[in-house]
Amino acid sequence: MYSEKVMDHFNNPRNVGEIENPSGVGTVGNAKCGDIMRMYLDIDENQVIKEAKFKTFGCGAAVATSSMATELVKGKTVQEALNVTNKAVMEALDGLPPVKVHCSLLAEEAIHAALWDYATKHNITIDGLEQPVNDIGEKEEAPQEVY
Ligand code: FES
């Protein structure tokens, strides 16, 4: 059901922990499943992400996607980090079962929340970054626009 890469990142998650005095930190949850994710970013003066760490009360898919997401954002600028979408993370993991796709959103949104915190503290704008929501379950329920 899970790819080898997912199992690897679940069994040996990378970048678990906290960063002391992070440049940005963000926490998001999904009230539907009760899972919570906190993401810490260390960003240098050139706006490059030097370190990314996460802590989660989340399911296995949330652990694996966050592990991969933190690996992917490291070395990227804050702007480039926006390209690390949940889709990109799932591709890097060779896919997730459809019922677990929402779990990958937790990592993406937590990174966005941490970037938002960084941008707010440093008074900068990251193009395309929207103010994060605390409960990403709300987003999933957002009505589809009808044209
Ligand atoms: Fe909640 Fe996976 S079931 S994040």
Side-chain angles (χ1 to χ4, degrees), residues 120-140:
T120 309
K121 283 181 185 154
H122 292 78
N123 221 1
I124 62 161
T125 306
I126 302 174
D127 286 341
L129 180 64
E130 290 174 13
Q131 183 161 13
V133 293
N134 291 329
D135 174 10
I136 64 164
E138 286 170 14
K139 257 195 174 175
E140 288 169 32

Side-chain angles (χ1 to χ4, degrees), residues 44-91:
D44 73 9
E45 61 284 359
N46 297 317
Q47 299 187 359
V48 173
I49 298 171
K50 289 289 170 203
E51 196 63 70
K53 290 201 181 281
F54 75 95
K55 276 191 151 179
T56 187
F57 290 103
C59 70
V63 171
T65 49
S66 308
S67 168
M68 180 57 92
T70 49
E71 287 287 273
L72 291 177
V73 296
K74 277 199 277 182
K76 291 200 166 51
T77 65
V78 293
Q79 192 67 58
E80 289 166 348
L82 286 189
N83 297 332
V84 180
T85 58
N86 75 309
K87 256 183 136 185
V89 171
M90 284 194 296
E91 269 169 34

